[in-house]
Amino acid sequence: MKALKFLPLLFLFILTSCSTVRVATDFDKEANFNEYNSFAFFKPGIDKAEISDLDKKRILRAIESNLTMKGMSKSENPDLLVSIFTKERERVDVYNNNFGYGWGWNPWYYGSYYGGSNVSRSTEGTLYIDLIDAKTNNLVWQGMGSADLVTYDIDKKEERIREIVAKILAEYPPGAMKN
């Protein structure tokens, strides 16, 4: 009976683990992030991103929204230039289930009915957001987020992109998550 109490918690863990965004950041420790109050998109860098123009627009809207919420403004004479690039790979997960019913092992009870392997394929994407000092052209901050991508539903894709961008930019400026 005690095990049944943990079943909803286990289900929630499995459900949320499928939708996690793994984030990592790096930054120049000598940069004064308090000096950066405005931004603009760095078109040459963004043009190189190997994704559709529609997804680029979704990402840029999400970045603009997040930076604006942090008190920054889009400007013709920016302090920071924002660039993005992406990587995509197919992820293959193999789940082995070589267990039959009952005790012991029987070579005749192996396969898809009593056990075997299940293969799951998904596309994992990584979005890099680079913040470049506009005066020196030096990279001062980089955030990276990796997550499973949604490709079949436009609304869910847009929501997923906003989630990934928000999780990456939650780490900007450095130390923002520690407060």
Side-chain angles (χ1 to χ4, degrees), residues 6 17 20 31 38 51 67 71 91 108 125 131 135 139 171:
F6 295 106
S17 67
T20 59
S38 61
I51 54 174
L67 291 178
R91 193 172 92 194
W108 292 280
L131 301 181
K135 292 177 188 163
L139 180 66
E171 303 279 333

Side-chain angles (χ1 to χ4, degrees), residues 127-144:
L127 171 64
Y128 293 83
I129 300 175
D130 291 344
L131 301 181
I132 303 159
D133 185 302
K135 292 177 188 163
T136 64
N137 285 328
N138 290 328
L139 180 66
V140 292
W141 187 89
Q142 182 178 66
M144 174 198 83

Side-chain angles (χ1 to χ4, degrees), residues 62-124:
I63 291 171
E64 184 174 345
S65 173
N66 276 269
L67 291 178
T68 302
M69 285 191 299
K70 291 179 178 288
M72 298 183 74
S73 59
K74 197 170 176 184
S75 172
E76 294 286 325
N77 189 18
D79 301 319
L80 286 175
L81 298 172
V82 179
S83 186
I84 63 168
F85 67 97
T86 59
K87 289 184 180 179
E88 190 176 291
R89 71 180 179 96
E90 183 179 34
R91 193 172 92 194
V92 179
D93 295 315
V94 179
Y95 303 98
N96 288 316
N97 180 9
N98 295 328
F99 302 104
Y101 292 106
W103 295 95
W105 180 81
N106 188 332
W108 292 280
Y109 292 138
Y110 178 80
S112 61
Y113 185 76
Y114 288 102
S117 298
N118 293 323
V119 177
S120 168
R121 295 176 187 270
S122 60
T123 302
E124 183 177 80

Side-chain angles (χ1 to χ4, degrees), residues 54 56-66 158:
L54 294 172
K56 284 180 191 176
K57 287 179 185 178
R58 291 179 180 107
I59 292 169
L60 297 180
R61 280 193 304 259
I63 291 171
E64 184 174 345
S65 173
N66 276 269
E158 181 116 20

Side-chain angles (χ1 to χ4, degrees), residues 33-66:
F33 291 93
N34 293 325
E35 293 180 356
Y36 302 125
N37 299 308
S38 61
F39 68 95
F41 292 111
F42 185 63
K43 187 170 173 23
I46 293 167
D47 286 345
K48 292 179 184 177
E50 295 181 9
I51 54 174
S52 76
D53 287 344
L54 294 172
D55 284 341
K56 284 180 191 176
K57 287 179 185 178
R58 291 179 180 107
I59 292 169
L60 297 180
R61 280 193 304 259
I63 291 171
E64 184 174 345
S65 173
N66 276 269

